[in-house]
Amino acid sequence: TLDKLKGVDRTRAELLFEAAEQAGCLAHLALITLWQSGAAQEEDHGYGYGYDYGRGDRYGRRAYGRYREFYDDDDDDEEDELDEESEQESAGEIAESQYTMLEVYDESLTAGHWSDAQGRKVAFGDMRLDDSELATATPLQEWSPSQEEYEGYTGNAGMTLERWYHRAAIVIWPRANHFQILARAGTDASIGGLEQMVQQLGRATGSNSADQYDDCRSFAQAIITSWQPERYRYSWDEEPESLRSAFPQLLYKLDDPDLVCQFLVRVVAENSEIQLDNSFASFCKRHGWPYFAEALSSVMEATKSSTLNRNAELLQMLCLRRDKDTDRVSTCARLLEQFVAAVIASDAKRARSSWQRAPDRKELLVAVVNATLTLGAAEDLRQFLEHAVARLNVYDL
């Protein structure tokens, strides 16, 4: 954050924030990260290749320098990003490397760990950059690495080296292009931008409030229309904190049932990553259950292997509410009938792909039984149990 910068760096940053404001631009402090991976060469100390006698690592894997991790939800790490030592030290530069990068196979340049002029975190996520977008007195190729990992010769592959270069920067773009910039950066960055706008909307007064609300609504609609599924991650990948779970809450704050219905049909129906909780049910109650009946039906009718458990959990949550709202009960009865039919159809064409995660049939069974017993839907229960008993190799009763 800005208060971690010292001396001339702090003065420069404050001037840039002020200049951006006067020029009709938005400015944020961010951490720029250049990552490179490629072929490496190690200095020969007479020990040969593939064995680090200092560490006893049979793969010759080494890491030098201060190994910095940056997480938005860790105050200690946040303080570590831009400490009081100096701008150069804030990047965590390593001691002189013992390796040479012979050829770069892959690289990326991103901006992340955002904050505004007041030091508040902004959840834009990681934005990809082009080196032509950097204005710096030190060319990219002259940056010193902040972290590196080396892997020696393994017999199956040659020596490889990964390097990370970190620099603090002020990132500026025209206020008029705010939506386009965030949309280009992806769904998570867009949600982070909307979150900031909704927070500002809560502090707005007078005539500006209506204009800001229209901007928030237009941006939310654009996010729904251009929603990008989360990319597949291998199990050993670091799992970043997702902003997507916060998106429904932002829609509730905008209090627009039309937007919520669009979100259900366009995003929730297709993406298992979206979970809806009791705040969604409360929103439906406030605006009337019939308003959302068709959109919820679309979600249930689109049930597939990846959304089976999520939809079962959603249905159970809606059915187990304790109020006696007749509109809710009738809506749930219709959804339950559609879901049971969708489960039967999904089981009939179960995906054979080994990489797809199989639904948890125990959770599914419990959710359907709870929902049917709560609604007194005897026919749906009979139909589902007959289906389960006929497939004991799938439903381990």
Side-chain angles (χ1 to χ4, degrees), residues 336 340 368-369 372-373 377-386:
L336 178 59
V340 170
V368 172
V369 170
T372 53
L373 291 180
E379 178 57 27
D380 290 325
L381 178 59
R382 181 197 63 78
Q383 189 178 9
F384 177 76
L385 290 180
E386 285 184 354

Side-chain angles (χ1 to χ4, degrees), residues 181-347:
I181 294 288
L182 295 180
R184 187 189 74 178
T187 297
D188 286 283
S190 299
I191 295 173
L194 178 63
E195 185 175 47
Q196 186 182 35
M197 291 172 61
V198 171
Q199 289 173 355
Q200 294 171 348
L201 178 63
R203 299 188 292 268
T205 57
S207 58
N208 288 336
S209 179
D211 291 338
Q212 289 186 25
Y213 175 81
D214 288 341
D215 286 343
C216 287
R217 190 188 181 284
S218 298
F219 192 23
Q221 192 164 33
I223 292 173
I224 292 170
T225 302
S226 60
W227 191 278
Q228 302 166 4
E230 283 191 301
R231 67 179 181 85
Y232 177 78
R233 292 184 177 87
Y234 295 101
S235 59
W236 55 83
D237 282 351
E238 176 190 333
E239 192 70 25
E241 182 181 359
S242 176
L243 303 174
R244 295 163 190 251
S245 60
F247 187 70
Q249 301 298 328
L250 297 177
L251 296 183
Y252 307 151
K253 289 180 180 179
L254 294 176
D255 203 33
D256 188 328
D258 283 338
L259 277 180
V260 172
C261 286
Q262 290 181 41
F263 180 61
L264 290 170
V265 173
R266 289 177 171 265
V267 179
V268 177
E270 295 298 324
N271 294 274
S272 59
E273 69 204 33
I274 304 299
Q275 304 290 331
L276 299 174
D277 56 19
N278 275 304
S279 58
F280 166 71
S282 299
F283 187 84
C284 291
K285 181 179 180 180
R286 184 163 75 250
H287 290 279
W289 287 93
Y291 205 106
F292 306 94
E294 289 300 322
L296 285 168
S297 290
S298 297
V299 173
M300 294 301 162
E301 288 178 349
T303 298
K304 52 189 176 182
S305 179
S306 61
T307 60
L308 209 56
N309 284 114
R310 193 280 312 275
N311 287 356
E313 184 178 343
L314 171 61
L315 182 62
Q316 179 178 225
M317 183 267 292
L318 297 180
C319 290
L320 294 183
R321 283 179 67 86
R322 299 188 176 216
D323 64 70
K324 300 186 183 299
D325 189 316
T326 55
D327 286 334
R328 177 189 65 81
V329 173
S330 61
T331 298
C332 286
R334 178 185 175 189
L335 297 177
L336 178 59
E337 182 179 352
Q338 291 174 321
F339 181 70
V340 170
V343 170
I344 294 174
S346 176
D347 285 346

